[in-house]
């Protein structure tokens, strides 16, 4: 299946600037963001826009009854996976939880295959049998989408163990949310990763609400970047709404892990605009809170403003980019609604006995 999403460009240089202070969150630390080149600004804008438009379309298809089961949208958090991916090299691995469509697209998985899996069609990445939370691509080094809270952390640590065993110089990224940061298996993984100096970066996507409960009500300590302190794992809070801050922090963390110094924790303080899943009305927060975030800290709008203010792109250029992305997403939706459903015989394939 030919990939139609973004083209990855390896980024190898280490960046020494600190992460920027989060405009949205209260406690993220920084001394200023990394300055992007023109190409990096354009790439970040396009990559985040693809995720945004894809997720909007997925929400529409869910509302039409074409996507069933669970569906967790990534709208608002696009800067996290986009900036992190810009710091990786070919062969580095990614594993995440159930809010995973954006990670798949950032890993260059084909939007048609991702959308087809959401609608349960043969052309999906799991042949239509996995759905939203269960897609994989060994080719793209994407090891899932996992529905069990925190389960991916131990698996991502295992990927890092394999990398060290093979001495291949690769790094594993294990994404999880603020809710999963309280899981016991997370701390078991931290201990093993530090003990064996495994090349893994733990990315905590703190979108402020685990399910319907704010992090302040669910966690006794809310500086999640320090959750590895008892294991002597360095960590930092990052403005997860600013793709430049994410990229700068990712460069540091990945260089640390790849250089043989062991695990690193990045707490990306971000925000989801939609509910926890499509079935969540999100009544635990005000509409004004969400609207303020959209108006003042939207990750795509911040890049868009820099492109226009810096005369890197014109309004017409950005409209053309949006049209290109919408065409890709519409083609994916067309494929996903017309591709045949799996043959009944597929019930008995890919099963270990």
């Amino acid at each position: 299946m030919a990939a139609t999403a973004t083209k990855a460009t390896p980024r190898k240089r280490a960046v020494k600037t600190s992460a920027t202070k989060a405009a949205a969150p209260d406690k993220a630390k920084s001394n200023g963001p990394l300055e992007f080149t023109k190409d990096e600004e354009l790439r970040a804008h396009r990559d985040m826009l693809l995720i945004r438009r894809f997720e909007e379309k997925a929400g529409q298809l869910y509302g039409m009854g074409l996507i069933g089961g669970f569906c967790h949208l990534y709208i608002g958090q696009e800067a996290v996976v986009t900036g992190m991916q810009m710091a990786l090299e070919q062969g580095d691995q990614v594993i995440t939880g159930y809010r995973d469509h954006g990670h798949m697209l950032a890993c260059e998985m084909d939007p048609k295959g991702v959308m087809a899996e959401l609608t349960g069609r043969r052309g999906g990445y799991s042949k239509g049998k996995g759905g939203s939370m269960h897609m994989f691509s060994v080719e793209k080094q994407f090891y899932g989408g996992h529905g069990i809270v925190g389960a991916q952390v131990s698996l991502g640590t295992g990927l890092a163990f394999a990398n060290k065993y093979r001495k291949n110089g690769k790094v594993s990224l294990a994404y999880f949310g603020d809710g999963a940061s309280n899981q016991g298996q997370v701390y078991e993984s931290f201990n093993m990763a530090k003990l064996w100096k495994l090349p893994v970066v733990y990315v905590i996507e703190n979108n402020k609400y685990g399910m319907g409960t704010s992090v302040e009500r669910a966690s006794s300590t809310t500086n999640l970047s320090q959750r590895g302190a008892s294991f002597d794992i360095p960590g930092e809070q990052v403005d997860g709404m600013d793709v430049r801050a994410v990229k700068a922090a990712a460069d540091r963390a990945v260089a640390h892990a790849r250089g043989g110094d062991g695990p690193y924790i990045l707490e990306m303080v971000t925000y989801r605009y939609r509910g926890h899943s499509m079935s969540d009305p999100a009544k635990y927060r005000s509409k004004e809170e969400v609207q303020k975030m959209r108006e003042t800290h939207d990750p795509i709008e911040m890049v868009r403003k820099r492109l226009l203010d810096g005369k890197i792109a014109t309004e017409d250029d950005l409209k053309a980019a949006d049209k290109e992305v919408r065409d890709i997403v519409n083609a994916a939706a067309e494929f996903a609604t017309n591709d045949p459903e799996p043959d009944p015989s597929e019930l008995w394939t890919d099963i270990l006995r």
Side-chain angles (χ1 to χ4, degrees):
M1 192 178 292
T4 54
T6 61
K7 293 184 178 180
T9 303
R11 297 295 198 276
K12 297 184 179 180
R13 63 186 180 89
V15 178
K16 296 182 179 179
T17 52
S18 299
T20 182
K21 180 171 182 178
D26 327 300
K27 302 177 181 178
K29 303 172 183 177
S30 112
N31 291 324
L34 169 71
E35 291 298 324
F36 271 7
T37 66
K38 292 181 179 180
D39 287 344
E40 286 174 326
E41 291 280 27
L42 290 168
R43 175 189 172 190
H45 178 264
R46 198 261 186 191
D47 289 1
M48 290 193 292
L49 196 60
L50 176 64
I51 296 172
R52 177 73 58 90
R53 298 295 179 241
F54 183 95
E55 293 290 67
E56 289 170 348
K57 180 61 71 174
Q60 291 175 9
L61 296 182
Y62 189 96
M64 295 166 63
L66 294 169
I67 295 175
F70 292 100
C71 185
H72 306 81
L73 301 182
Y74 201 61
I75 297 174
Q77 298 182 213
E78 298 91 348
V80 177
V81 73
T82 299
M84 289 301 305
Q85 206 65 23
M86 293 173 78
L88 297 188
E89 295 180 1
Q90 190 72 29
D92 290 338
Q93 303 127 333
V94 171
I95 191 167
T96 188
Y98 40 75
R99 197 179 309 280
D100 53 3
H101 314 151
H103 302 73
M104 298 171 194
L105 297 176
C107 288
E108 296 187 1
M109 290 170 66
D110 187 347
K112 291 181 179 179
V114 178
M115 195 71 85
E117 189 60 40
L118 296 180
T119 57
R121 306 306 172 107
R122 291 183 190 179
Y125 270 98
S126 295
K127 303 179 184 177
K129 300 185 294 181
S132 177
M133 298 185 287
H134 304 286
M135 280 182 259
F136 307 83
S137 174
V138 175
E139 176 195 1
K140 301 299 183 182
Q141 298 297 305
F142 180 78
Y143 288 84
H146 295 267
I148 299 174
V149 175
Q152 72 276 16
V153 180
S154 53
L155 297 176
T157 304
L159 291 170
F161 177 80
N163 291 336
K164 181 161 187 177
Y165 184 83
R166 293 167 178 158
K167 299 180 181 179
N168 60 16
K170 303 307 178 187
V171 172
S172 164
L173 296 190
Y175 290 85
F176 56 104
D178 48 285
S181 68
N182 295 319
Q183 293 286 318
Q185 60 194 314
V186 171
Y187 297 98
E188 294 176 29
S189 298
F190 285 175
N191 185 56
M192 294 173 70
K194 180 62 180 182
L195 188 64
W196 296 333
K197 289 191 175 182
L198 301 183
V200 56
V201 177
Y202 297 110
V203 186
I204 305 174
E205 298 196 72
N206 180 4
N207 61 25
K208 309 296 249 175
Y209 297 92
M211 292 287 284
T213 305
S214 70
V215 67
E216 286 81 7
R217 293 184 61 201
S219 298
S220 59
T221 59
T222 57
N223 186 339
L224 306 183
S225 70
Q226 298 304 305
R227 287 300 177 91
S230 62
F231 306 100
D232 197 27
I233 299 176
E236 60 181 286
Q237 282 186 323
V238 184
D239 179 2
M241 303 299 276
D242 186 343
V243 68
R244 300 173 304 169
V246 174
K247 170 62 165 58
D251 281 336
R252 288 191 296 278
V254 170
H256 177 94
R258 202 185 307 280
D261 295 322
Y264 202 99
I265 296 173
L266 293 176
E267 179 193 355
M268 297 293 173
V269 188
T270 183
Y271 198 84
R272 56 171 167 80
Y273 296 162
R274 302 289 185 92
H276 173 73
S277 68
M278 287 298 295
S279 60
D280 173 21
K283 293 183 178 179
Y284 42 82
R285 60 186 185 181
S286 68
K287 292 181 179 179
E288 290 76 18
E289 177 184 313
V290 180
Q291 187 60 32
K292 181 180 179 181
M293 190 66 64
R294 280 183 174 274
E295 290 176 353
T296 59
H297 304 300
D298 184 81
I300 298 175
E301 285 303 312
M302 285 194 284
V303 177
R304 186 178 187 278
K305 185 177 187 303
R306 290 199 299 270
L307 288 171
L308 293 173
D309 290 350
K311 301 189 185 305
I312 298 171
T314 65
E315 287 281 3
D316 287 342
D317 294 332
L318 297 181
K319 287 179 181 178
D322 193 29
K323 182 182 183 305
E324 178 205 355
V325 165
R326 288 181 185 274
D327 288 345
I328 291 171
V329 171
N330 288 336
E334 182 72 15
F335 176 77
T337 53
N338 290 287
D339 192 46
E341 294 183 352
D343 188 271
S345 64
E346 279 291 343
L347 284 170
W348 309 107
T349 64
D350 306 314
I351 297 175
L352 297 177
R353 301 187 183 185

